[in-house]
Structures are given as C-alpha cells and as structure tokens.
Amino acid sequence: SFIKEFKPIALEDTKLFKPIKVSDTNLSHRVVLPPLTRMRASFPGNVPNEEWAPEYYDQRSKRPGSMIITEGTFISPQAAVYDNAQGVWSDKQIAVWKKIFKRVRNNKSYIWPQLWALGRQADAVALKRDGLRFDSPSGIDFGGKYGELYKKYGLSQHILTKEEIKQYVEEFSTAAKKIIDAGADGIEIHAANGFLLNPFLDPISNKRTNEYGGSIENRSRFTLEVVDAVIAAVGHTKVGIRFSAFGTHGTMSGGSEPLIIAQYSHVIGELEKRAKEGNGVVYIHLMEPRVTNPFLLEGEGEYLDDTNDFAYSIWTGIIIRAGNLALHPEISRELSKDERTLLAFVRLYISNPDLPDRLEKGLPLNKYNRETFYHMGAEGYIEYLRYNQAIKIGYN
Ligand SMILES: COC(=O)/C=C(\C#N)c1ccc(F)cc1
C-alpha cells in the first residue's frame, strides 16, 4: 500500500531532474540508489543471488541514465563475515555480477559496486566458525550488542599489524580491478558505518601511536592508502568513497567528538589535493547527520547540531548525500539547488523500483517493510510494484 501520512511533492522543477555528467557516465537525473545490505547472497561462497539480484538491479535502473550503487560487497573472505552478503573475489561471484551488470547496461544505466570490509563489525558466530581474525585498530572494548556477543564466543579483537593493513589495501585494489574488468562503471570505497576503515578514522576506536594513529593525519592514512591503491588499479575516473562523519553505528563517536569535522575535513582535503593533481576520486558520498544509525527508525537518534556543509568548502567535485530524504521533499528541494549534489534514497528506492519517476511527479510512495530488508526472500526484494502496477491492483 501507499504511505498514507506523507504528502508527496513533485520535484520535477528542481535540478534533480537535470542531466549531469559524472566522470564517464551521463546521468539523466540526480536520484541515486545508495548501498543497503539485503542479505540475499548464498552461503557458503557469498555469491550474489543469481535468481533475484539481476532482477532487483534491473527494476531499479529501468529509467535510462540512472546511477546505482550496490549493496555492500566484500573484498575477501577475511572481510566477508556476514554469510548472506556477497563478495567479488571468486569466479562464481563474478559470473553473477556480470549478469547484473548486463541488465543495468541494457537499461543504459550505471552501476557502482560498494567495496566493503567488516573489521570490528564482523559476525561473531561466523568469525568463530571460520577461524577468522576479529580485526580492529586498537582492540578497544566497545560494548553494545556486538561487544557482548564477542565475549560470549570468547573472541578478542586482533590489533591489525602494518602488514595486515597492507594486505587489506591490496585486497581493495584487487577487488576493484576484478569488478571493473567484469563491467562495473566504477566502485565505491566503504569508509562509513563503523566498518573496517571507519574505526581507524575515529579517535574513540583508534588509539594507535604509530603511523596509523595518534593524529588526524595518521588516522586518515589507511583510508587514503586504500584510495590511492584503488585509483592506481582502476583509474581515478572509476572511484568514489562513502563517509558517515556523524554516524554512531558500530559505536563510532559521531557528532559528540569535537575533532570529528576536523578529521573528515582533513581526509576530504587530501582527496581534493589529489583532484587538483588530476587524480581525484569522482565523488564523495556523505551520510546525513539526521541518520546516525541505519537501524534506528525514522526520527530516532537524529543528530541535528551539525551538517555536511563543511565538505562543500573543501571538496569541489560531485557530492552524494543520503539520509531520510524521501520523506522530506522540502529538504531534497533545498539540497538539490547545488550544482554538484546528487541525492541518494535507499529505503524508498527499495520499495519503489521507479522512485525517480515518483519523486519527479510527486506520486504516492509504496510503504517499505523493514522486516524484509535483511531477510532471504523474493518478498521485499523484487516484489515491490511500479506505480502503474500498484494502481492496477488497487493501491490507494
Ligand atoms: C553495506 O554497508 C553498510 O553500511 C551495511 C550495514 C550498515 N550499517 C549493515 C546492514 C545490514 C546488516 F545486517 C548489517 C550491517
């Protein structure tokens, strides 16, 4: 059914529906599908769901010139400790990715897999079962539901050595090369939401005193080494990166850390320096402070004391902004006034495969069901209806 208590506003007169060139891609609109894990990959093997994933991405890229960033996608087995999320390291995985890319390309749209490594947020049961490392920057006890689970399984955090950090850098660049060679239009480095790179960026979790910690520059090093290695592997025109400066998911500081804007200003400044040398990433993708934790419900845990505006005075390229926007069209209208801003909508794009058309015309939106975000099933993945299909069966 449609969301009742929400009055859609047509955004067709905004820049959101003005074409924009993003690196080698020609977008016909600026509504982006950002990453959200869907837990439909098969285990063992972390293979994308061959039956449903091509359909899922085909449905959401139907409007030619759309930009899709995929569900988080693991770079290696050590990075991959959620059984039903997909990876890019094996031939079996690549074979299904090629099917996905073909469907999106047939729609004349573009797809950017998000490259992911779990670090501190790996699943304790799987870590124990597979005898994998529970990787972290400094082994700081971070409590929460994760903390208890790790203790229950007798897991202690492994403080990454410099060699292991280099290994991860290598895995990011190898994964990027593989997935670009398989036909992706670009890749997004996941440096957000408390996963591998994020705890290195955050003083709450990174207490290292060697070159990977102890200062804003040193906390940025791992992320920037990944950026440089991926750019060296696939070229700067195919690389984006996602940050959640104000995020608290995974027991990150969020806005309570006075240094957090300085920290991200430094990283983004380093990206801008590379751009000025003709070797910069294509875009930076920022989670809005309004959404501090993707698992909280609308309006819960909002952080409204700061904005991502700081990034605009540092980074001069494309900025993608994501965070509870579809239900705030007045905010989308405001943010889209900026010439280089793309807006990402994940929950409503999941339940509205034709979301760009609906936002353009101010059409009612299908409700989404959180229960099926992360659950193995076609329901909640490929069964949501396009507007005309919904009307035909009597949605109101
Ligand atoms: C893929 O990028 C993410 O940030 C994923 C998650 C977050 N936050 C995520 C989604 C579903 C889960 F079950 C665990 C983590």
Side-chain angles (χ1 to χ4, degrees):
S1 65
F2 291 142
I3 298 175
K4 291 279 175 295
E5 57 282 354
F6 164 64
K7 170 121 187 49
I9 303 174
L11 295 171
E12 59 197 336
D13 60 315
T14 70
K15 283 200 186 79
L16 266 187
F17 295 95
K18 229 181 87 180
I20 184 168
K21 191 166 168 8
V22 172
S23 184
D24 308 331
T25 70
N26 297 302
L27 305 187
S28 63
H29 61 86
R30 304 179 187 199
V31 174
V32 173
L33 172 65
L36 188 135
T37 296
R38 302 311 318 273
M39 298 298 190
R40 265 89 175 173
S42 58
F43 181 80
N46 298 88
V47 183
N49 190 299
E50 185 149 19
E51 186 189 353
W52 302 330
E55 177 63 19
Y56 176 70
Y57 287 107
D58 181 21
Q59 291 175 348
R60 285 155 186 77
S61 59
K62 274 284 177 247
R63 180 160 170 163
S66 294
M67 179 175 182
I68 302 279
I69 306 171
T70 71
E71 303 157 59
T73 298
F74 296 125
I75 58 174
S76 68
Q78 171 62 56
V81 212
Y82 292 160
D83 288 350
N84 297 110
Q86 66 278 342
V88 292
W89 67 85
S90 76
D91 294 347
K92 274 181 77 175
Q93 294 164 335
I94 293 296
V96 180
W97 280 112
K98 284 181 174 172
K99 292 188 161 94
I100 294 168
F101 298 158
K102 192 160 175 285
R103 298 283 288 273
V104 173
R105 191 177 309 109
N106 286 349
N107 293 333
K108 294 188 176 40
S109 285
Y110 307 97
I111 184 161
W112 296 58
Q114 183 194 50
L115 298 187
W116 193 18
L118 289 175
R120 274 189 359 167
Q121 305 240 68
D123 178 287
V125 177
L127 280 177
K128 191 86 181 156
R129 178 195 66 211
D130 300 348
L132 291 167
R133 295 188 321 251
F134 174 24
D135 287 342
S136 100
S138 303
I140 305 293
D141 189 1
F142 57 107
K145 74 175 164 79
Y146 289 106
E148 295 323 308
L149 205 53
Y150 296 121
K151 288 197 190 89
K152 187 175 151 220
Y153 284 90
L155 292 161
S156 54
Q157 292 178 57
H158 169 74
I159 298 175
L160 281 169
T161 65
K162 278 186 268 187
E163 293 67 36
E164 290 158 345
I165 289 173
K166 299 283 178 227
Q167 166 76 20
Y168 268 123
V169 171
E170 179 68 33
E171 287 173 355
F172 267 102
S173 61
T174 304
K177 181 94 182 73
K178 268 195 177 153
I179 202 73
I180 294 292
D181 289 350
D185 296 288
I187 61 95
E188 176 174 285
I189 295 167
H190 193 334
N193 290 343
F195 298 103
L196 185 71
L197 299 174
N198 195 169
F200 274 81
L201 288 165
D202 194 324
I204 199 171
S205 39
N206 181 347
K207 306 291 184 193
R208 297 171 81 106
T209 53
N210 67 11
E211 70 265 48
Y212 288 102
S215 68
I216 283 178
E217 294 78 2
N218 284 352
R219 286 194 294 271
S220 308
R221 195 177 308 282
F222 189 2
T223 294
L224 293 170
E225 284 180 351
V226 170
V227 167
D228 292 337
V230 168
I231 285 177
V234 301
H236 75 102
T237 62
K238 298 198 178 306
V239 183
I241 187 164
R242 192 183 220 205
F243 297 117
S244 54
F246 305 101
T248 55
H249 183 255
T251 323
M252 295 288 95
S253 297
S256 64
E257 167 52 62
L259 277 179
I260 213 67
I261 288 188
Q263 180 68 49
Y264 283 88
S265 297
H266 174 75
V267 181
I268 293 170
E270 280 296 320
L271 297 177
E272 181 64 15
K273 273 162 64 177
R274 287 158 174 76
K276 290 204 174 355
E277 291 155 10
N279 204 32
V281 296
V282 173
Y283 67 81
I284 59 174
H285 183 177
L286 308 178
M287 305 267 295
E288 290 295 285
R290 201 177 32 259
V291 175
T292 53
N293 181 327
F295 288 91
L296 296 179
L297 301 179
E298 287 63 28
E300 273 184 351
E302 290 191 331
Y303 179 69
L304 303 175
D305 297 346
D306 244 313
T307 72
N308 282 313
D309 291 354
F310 73 94
Y312 282 80
S313 55
I314 300 165
W315 174 251
T316 60
I318 297 282
I319 298 183
I320 303 178
R321 299 175 80 157
N324 194 359
L325 288 170
L327 300 180
H328 294 276
E330 72 289 349
I331 295 179
S332 300
R333 177 176 287 283
E334 196 49 39
L335 297 183
S336 62
K337 283 178 183 158
D338 175 77
E339 192 45 61
R340 56 196 169 102
T341 296
L342 312 183
L343 297 184
F345 305 80
V346 77
R347 291 165 297 139
L348 274 305
Y349 214 147
I350 283 172
S351 56
N352 296 272
D354 54 344
L355 183 68
D357 297 348
R358 304 227 191 171
L359 294 177
E360 185 176 35
K361 303 293 178 215
L363 298 175
L365 299 176
N366 300 344
K367 271 193 183 137
Y368 56 78
N369 174 5
R370 270 185 185 276
E371 303 308 309
T372 57
F373 275 1
Y374 313 119
H375 119 105
M376 184 61 76
E379 189 212 349
Y381 197 50
I382 55 172
E383 294 182 352
Y384 284 112
L385 301 176
R386 303 178 67 80
Y387 182 68
N388 50 22
Q389 295 168 320
I391 290 295
K392 207 176 285 177
I393 65 163
Y395 272 37
N396 55 37

